[in-house]
Amino acid sequence: MAKRKVLVVDDSPTQLDMMKAPFEENGFLVITAVDGEEAVAMVESEQPDLVVLDVIMPKQNGFQACRKIKAMRRDLPVILLSSKNQKSDEFWGLKQGADLYMTKPFDGAELFASAIKLLA
């Protein structure tokens, strides 16, 4: 069976490493992008099984990228992961098509468990 592929997107190298870790530890193939524009291009070229997307990024934020990703592939699970923790932020993220909105700081085990539920 082929490894599941997850696209992890964040402009902070530290956050990117933290977001990648639970997937790498569980045998996923992890590819990365540093902004929403790059993420949208990689969804098309790399065909990931899941996208974990930061919200606050340069060029194209996570809300914009999520909307474009879902327009391309409605069935692709997208998790928005952000320091924006107001209910209105979560509402807006889900309105853009995200399957789940989680806030930072996050627990890696919880992120992975949530991802597995979306992939089931």
Side-chain angles (χ1 to χ4, degrees), residues 45-103:
S45 66
E46 296 290 331
Q47 297 295 307
D49 299 301
L50 172 78
V51 178
V52 180
L53 194 57
D54 182 33
V55 171
I56 303 171
M57 295 183 292
K59 293 188 183 176
Q60 192 174 102
N61 68 40
F63 293 142
Q64 295 164 321
C66 180
R67 192 170 49 248
K68 289 181 179 179
I69 288 167
K70 286 297 196 168
M72 292 176 357
R73 288 190 49 201
R74 173 65 50 202
D75 64 323
L76 179 61
V78 175
I79 298 174
L80 285 175
L81 190 58
S82 178
S83 58
K84 295 173 72 72
N85 62 4
Q86 299 297 311
K87 279 291 179 194
S88 59
D89 299 316
E90 180 179 0
F91 171 80
W92 187 246
L94 297 174
K95 189 169 173 61
Q96 303 315 301
D99 297 279
L100 182 64
Y101 188 97
M102 296 178 71
T103 57

Side-chain angles (χ1 to χ4, degrees), residues 25-40:
E25 291 165 5
N26 286 283
F28 277 61
L29 174 62
V30 178
I31 56 177
T32 61
V34 295
D35 61 54
E37 196 173 271
E38 184 181 13
V40 171

